[in-house]
Amino acid sequence: MSRKATRYSAVLAASLFAAALAGCGSENKEGSIGTGPGGVATVGDTACVQCHSAVTEALTGESIITQYQKSSPHNRADLGCESCHGGGAQHNGVGPIPFAHPDANRCADCHDGTTAVATNSNTAFAGSRHNTQSVRDSANCKRCHSHEGAILSNIYGLTGDNATITNVDYINRVPLASNYTQISCATCHEHGGGLRTIKAIDGSGNLVNWDPNNNRRIDQFDLCTSCHTLYNYNGTQLLAGGNPLNGVATGVSLHAATSTRWYGVLATTHFDNYSTGPQAGAGASGTNTKIEGYVLRRTGANPCFDCHGHESKTNTRNEASRGPTIHTDWAQSGHGGGLLTAKYAAVAGKSGTAAVTAALNAYVDDATAVAWTHYNWDASSRGSCQRCHTATGAANFMSNPATYKADGSGNNFSHLQGWNATNGSKQNELLYCWGCHTNAGTGELRNPGAITETYSPGTPGDPATVVAYPNIGKSNTCMTCHLGREVGDVIKNDQDADGVRGFINSHYLAAGGTVFGKTGYTFGNRDYDSTPKGFVHDKLGVSATGNAAADAYIAQNGLSTSGPCAACHLGSEKLGAKTSHTYSPFSEYAAGDVALNPLCVTCHTSRGAGSNAKSAWFEATWKTRSDAALEALRAQLDNRGMYFFNAHPYFYQGAGGSGGAFTNWAGVFGFAEWKDAMGTAFNYNLLAHDPGAVAHNRYYVRRLVYDSIDKLDDGILNYSVSATLNALDGAVATYKNDAIAFLINSAGTAGTASERY
C-alpha cells in the first residue's frame, strides 16, 4: 500500500472511531449524546475504559480504571468519568478535554456546600490542618504527615499501635518516595473519589485488611483511624482492657509514647471509658458515671464527618495564636459537657506520657455535666428522657417529630459499647454536632419545624396540655429541648380530687417557653403579655423588631431566619467576635472586657466593647435583682410551709429537704385554690432552674414572681407586694432592696395595679 493510501486509511479509521465515540456517550454515562461540564459533547464510560484501562497511578502502580470501578461514588448511571473530566468528544486519547486533571476547584463545582452531596470540600480543605501542616519525611512521621508516606503506608500495612508503626522491619517494607509532598485530596481518595484501601500487619507479620469497626467494607472510619488510631485492625481497643493507664504503657500511638502532644492522640478526647459508666440498667443517679470522651458512631456512614467535615481544624492543643474553633467552643459548652475544659485542667503543667495519661483520665460527672451523666439515659427506663439527654434521641426527634416515639423505643444506641435496649450501655452521649446538624461541615441544621409540644397530664387519664409554639426558623432546633417538661397550664388542667398529690415539675432550662411567655403558672385574669413594654426578643431573627439598627444588623449578617435563640447565642460569630458554639450571648472583646454581643448592642447601645457589661451591668444589676426577687418568693413559700430543696421532688415539708415531700397543696389556701398554691411553687422552680430567665424575658419573669408573692403573702391577689417587701427587715432579708427594685414599678402607686410592672 502506498504512503498516501496508508495516511488515508489512518484518517478514515480515526474518523470512524470518533464517530463511534460520538454515538455512544452522553453526560449520563451511557446514553444519548449530551453536553458535559466544559461545554463539550460526551462519549460515555465505555470509550474511556477502552483507552485508559492500562493507565496506572504513578505512586501506587494501580490501574486508575480499577480504582474508579471498584469504589468511586461517581461510577453510577447518572454520572461517570465525564462528570469530573468534562465531555470527551474532542479527546480521542490525545486531544483536548475540559478537565484533564480535576483539582479541588473542580470538585467544588458540585461539592459546594449547598447541594445534597454538600461537603464544602474545596474551601474547607484549603484551610484545614491537613492541607497546611508542614511535610515531615522522617521514618515515622512521613506515615501521616506526607501524601506519599500515607498512601504507601496504607498499602504496606504500616498502621496500628505504637509497637507496629515503630517496628523497623515494618517501616523498611514501605518503599521510599523520591519526594514527599503535602496531604492532598488524592491522599484519601482514589481515582474517581473512592476511599483508598488500607492494609495492616497482624501479629504474625501478615498483611490483613485494616477494618477497626469490623464491618467488612472500606469506609470513612477505616481511613481516618489509619492515622488517628483508636482501635486496632481487628477492632481491639488500643487502650488495653478499657483502661487508659494500661493503654499508655502498651502504646496508644506514636504521639502518646514519644512526644508531649497529648492532643495528637485521638483517644484523649474520643474514648469514654466503659469501666467508669453506670451500672447496667441503673435507674438511680449514677454516682460512678463519668464521661471521659466522645463516642463515635463508628459503623455509620460518616462517623468523623458527623462533626468535622473536610475542615477538621479543632485546635485542641489550645494555642492562642490559632484562636478558638467551633469545635473547642462546643467542647467547653454545656452541650459538650465542658469536657475539654476538664482536659485542659488535667494536662496543665504536664508533658509527655504524663499529659497523655492525665488527658485520657480527665472526665466530667454530676458535678460538672449532670445533664449527661446523672442517669443511664440510653436504657429503656429512661426512654422518655432520650429526646434531650442523648444526641441520638435529639437527632431522631428533630428529623421527624411526627414519627418520633416518646418512649424512646425508636432510638438505636448500638454505637455505644455493650448496648442493649433494656440495660443500655455504660457509656453515655453528650449532645454531639450530629444531634443538631445533618451536615456539620456545612452547618446544615436539622429542621423539625415549629414545635407543638404535648405536655403530659398531671394526673394519668386527664387531658394533655398542648402548646403550639411559633415557627422561629433555625431556632426550632433549640426549642426541641428548651421548653420544660411541664408548663403552668398542666396544673390548671389537672383534675386531682383532693389537692393532695405530688409536685408537677417544670424541669430545667425552659428558656424557649420563657421567651414566648408560655411556661409559667398564671393567676386569674392578669396580663402577661410583654409586647406593650417594648419586648422584642421573640422577634429577633423572625420578623421586624421595629428597631432599625437591630433589623439592619440581622439583615446584613444573614440572621433573618435564625430565630431568637441562634441570633443571640450564635449571631456574634458572624463578626468574628470571640464566641461561637459556647452559646454565650456575651463576647470577649479584650482580656477582662466581656460584654454583650454585637446584635444585643444594637438595642443595648452602651453595653458593648469597653463596658465589661457582663459583670458590671448584667450580673451586678439584672441578675442580682432577679435573684433577689426569687429569694423573696422563696421566703413566702417557706412561710406557707412549702420548703424548696434542689433535689426531686423539690418541695418538702421541712427546710433542707427534711420532713418528706410536700403534697398537701389544698392545705395552703383551701381545696378550691390548691392549683394556685402549687402554681406559686411551680413558678419558683421554673425560674430557679433557668439562670438566664431575666435575659430571656424580664417582663414575664417579673410578673410571674410578683403575682406568686401577691398570692402567698395574704392569700389574695390584691397588689400587696410593695407593702410586703417594704415591711421586711433589711438586716435579715438582705435581698429586700434589690427585690423591690426588680418587682415594684417606682412610677406606680403602691397597693394598686400600677405598682406591678
Side-chain angles (χ1 to χ4, degrees):
M1 183 182 291
S2 68
R3 181 177 299 173
K4 180 178 180 180
T6 301
R7 185 168 65 247
Y8 174 79
S9 297
V11 171
L12 177 61
S15 299
L16 290 172
F17 182 60
L21 289 179
C24 71
S26 78
E27 63 180 323
N28 291 319
K29 194 173 183 180
E30 301 292 350
S32 59
I33 297 174
T35 301
V40 179
T42 57
V43 298
D45 272 12
T46 299
C48 303
V49 171
Q50 286 173 343
C51 288
H52 292 282
S53 59
V55 177
T56 59
E57 183 180 34
L59 184 64
T60 65
E62 295 175 347
S63 163
I64 64 171
I65 295 299
T66 299
Q67 288 184 353
Y68 167 72
Q69 290 180 334
K70 76 176 182 181
S71 65
S72 171
H74 302 106
N75 180 23
R76 60 190 218 201
D78 59 333
L79 293 174
C81 301
E82 291 160 298
S83 64
C84 295
H85 291 281
Q90 300 173 11
H91 182 43
N92 301 334
V94 294
I97 193 167
F99 307 101
H101 302 286
D103 60 9
N105 290 314
R106 176 74 192 98
C107 301
D109 285 344
C110 293
H111 300 277
D112 58 2
T114 59
T115 66
V117 291
T119 60
N120 201 17
S121 55
N122 183 32
T123 56
F125 180 75
S128 72
R129 287 289 295 155
H130 286 155
N131 186 52
T132 58
Q133 68 178 348
S134 60
V135 176
R136 300 172 191 174
D137 58 4
S138 61
N140 295 124
C141 300
K142 66 186 178 185
R143 190 265 167 270
C144 292
H145 291 275
S146 74
H147 166 72
E148 293 76 13
I151 291 177
L152 293 173
S153 295
N154 285 347
I155 294 173
Y156 289 92
L158 189 62
T159 191
D161 61 17
N162 184 60
T164 299
I165 62 178
T166 57
N167 186 306
V168 175
D169 291 338
Y170 296 163
I171 293 172
N172 290 337
R173 291 186 186 185
V174 181
L176 294 175
S178 58
N179 183 45
Y180 290 94
T181 59
Q182 280 185 317
I183 300 294
S184 69
C185 301
T187 307
C188 298
H189 297 281
E190 296 181 330
H191 194 80
L195 297 180
R196 289 192 179 274
T197 301
I198 304 162
K199 295 293 184 179
I201 300 173
D202 68 11
S204 300
N206 302 313
L207 273 182
V208 295
N209 288 327
W210 173 259
D211 187 27
N213 54 358
N214 283 322
N215 63 357
R216 300 182 183 275
R217 60 183 176 84
I218 301 168
D219 59 17
Q220 188 180 97
F221 189 83
D222 299 341
L223 180 69
C224 296
T225 60
S226 65
C227 280
H228 302 281
T229 48
L230 186 59
Y231 300 87
N232 216 331
Y233 67 91
N234 56 2
T236 303
Q237 288 181 345
L238 291 180
L239 303 171
N243 188 327
L245 293 173
N246 290 340
V248 174
T250 58
V252 176
S253 75
L254 184 65
H255 282 183
T258 65
S259 82
T260 62
R261 295 187 291 271
W262 65 271
Y263 47 81
V265 184
L266 185 66
T268 58
T269 51
H270 289 71
F271 172 75
D272 184 21
N273 192 343
Y274 185 74
S275 66
T276 64
Q279 297 300 315
S285 60
T287 54
N288 65 334
T289 303
K290 300 175 182 178
I291 296 179
E292 294 88 359
Y294 322 123
V295 182
L296 299 174
R297 297 193 293 182
R298 53 183 176 150
T299 57
N302 298 291
C304 304
F305 277 24
D306 271 347
C307 287
H308 294 289
H310 275 93
E311 192 270 342
S312 306
K313 189 185 294 182
T314 63
N315 190 25
T316 305
R317 70 185 70 184
N318 198 26
E319 289 184 349
S321 61
R322 291 178 176 168
T325 66
I326 198 169
H327 297 94
T328 58
D329 280 350
W330 168 83
Q332 296 179 81
S333 74
H335 287 178
L339 182 57
L340 189 57
T341 302
K343 302 286 184 183
Y344 287 155
V347 301
K350 299 181 178 67
S351 61
T353 55
V356 175
T357 300
L360 283 166
N361 283 288
Y363 61 84
V364 293
D365 58 13
D366 280 11
T368 50
V370 64
W372 314 112
T373 62
H374 194 61
Y375 291 113
N376 189 11
W377 302 111
D378 48 284
S380 59
S381 60
R382 291 288 161 186
S384 63
C385 307
Q386 291 170 5
R387 167 178 154 183
C388 294
H389 290 277
T390 71
T392 296
N396 289 341
F397 177 85
M398 284 187 267
S399 295
N400 195 335
T403 61
Y404 182 80
K405 296 180 180 179
D407 64 357
S409 58
N411 296 327
N412 186 314
F413 297 91
S414 56
H415 53 283
L416 300 180
Q417 187 174 350
W419 178 80
N420 64 69
T422 300
N423 295 325
S425 165
K426 291 186 178 182
Q427 293 177 322
N428 275 356
E429 295 181 334
L430 301 166
L431 183 55
Y432 303 128
C433 307
W434 52 267
C436 296
H437 294 276
T438 59
N439 188 316
T442 65
E444 183 179 352
L445 282 166
R446 300 189 187 279
N447 182 21
I451 304 296
T452 295
E453 189 69 14
T454 301
Y455 295 98
S456 302
T459 299
D462 287 352
T465 300
V466 179
V467 179
Y469 292 92
N471 189 337
I472 54 173
K474 295 177 181 177
S475 292
N476 289 330
T477 59
C478 309
M479 297 287 278
T480 294
C481 290
H482 292 286
L483 296 174
R485 289 292 300 270
E486 313 290 354
V487 293
D489 280 354
V490 172
I491 299 174
K492 292 189 173 186
N493 292 333
D494 190 78
Q495 304 301 311
D496 187 76
D498 58 6
V500 179
R501 53 151 299 134
F503 179 56
I504 294 176
N505 175 27
S506 59
H507 209 55
Y508 299 91
L509 302 179
T514 302
V515 169
F516 292 100
K518 301 287 189 181
T519 46
Y521 182 91
T522 59
F523 296 86
N525 60 358
R526 288 195 171 175
D527 176 28
Y528 295 87
D529 182 9
S530 300
T531 303
K533 293 289 186 179
F535 178 69
V536 298
H537 286 184
D538 57 342
K539 298 179 178 63
L540 295 170
V542 179
S543 60
T545 66
N547 180 297
D551 292 339
Y553 178 94
I554 288 169
Q556 291 166 4
N557 289 280
L559 300 173
S560 60
T561 61
S562 291
C565 311
C568 284
H569 290 272
L570 293 168
S572 62
E573 68 182 272
K574 299 286 185 180
L575 293 186
K578 295 180 182 178
T579 182
S580 174
H581 271 54
T582 60
Y583 308 103
S584 172
F586 301 102
S587 294
E588 183 181 358
Y589 293 92
D593 180 22
V594 180
L596 297 187
N597 71 43
L599 171 58
C600 300
V601 174
T602 59
C603 291
H604 305 281
T605 54
S606 63
R607 310 301 178 185
S611 68
N612 192 24
K614 181 177 185 287
S615 62
W617 174 67
F618 177 72
E619 292 175 347
T621 302
W622 287 109
K623 194 70 172 70
T624 296
R625 291 177 178 177
S626 62
D627 285 350
L630 281 178
E631 277 301 299
L633 172 54
R634 181 170 179 170
Q636 293 298 318
L637 288 165
D638 288 353
N639 289 342
R640 293 286 183 172
M642 297 178 282
Y643 294 93
F644 176 81
F645 183 70
N646 198 23
H648 191 270
Y650 301 107
F651 286 93
Y652 293 83
Q653 297 178 54
S658 64
F662 186 90
T663 58
N664 186 16
W665 309 98
V668 180
F669 305 127
F671 171 70
E673 297 180 291
W674 78 261
K675 295 179 181 180
D676 279 358
M678 184 184 284
T680 63
F682 183 93
N683 285 342
Y684 180 87
N685 188 62
L686 170 73
L687 299 175
H689 288 140
D690 182 5
V694 66
H696 296 137
N697 190 338
R698 73 174 183 267
Y699 304 107
Y700 186 61
V701 170
R702 273 173 160 163
R703 291 172 178 179
L704 291 178
V705 177
Y706 180 98
D707 291 348
S708 296
I709 294 175
D710 196 13
K711 181 64 180 177
L712 286 166
D713 60 10
D714 58 9
I716 306 170
L717 292 171
N718 57 356
Y719 302 107
S720 56
V721 177
S722 175
T724 297
L725 295 180
N726 277 292
L728 294 173
D729 181 352
V732 177
T734 55
Y735 54 81
K736 173 181 175 178
N737 291 335
D738 285 321
I740 290 172
F742 184 72
L743 293 173
I744 306 303
N745 182 4
S746 59
T749 301
T752 70
S754 63
E755 80 168 36
R756 177 181 182 262
Y757 272 103

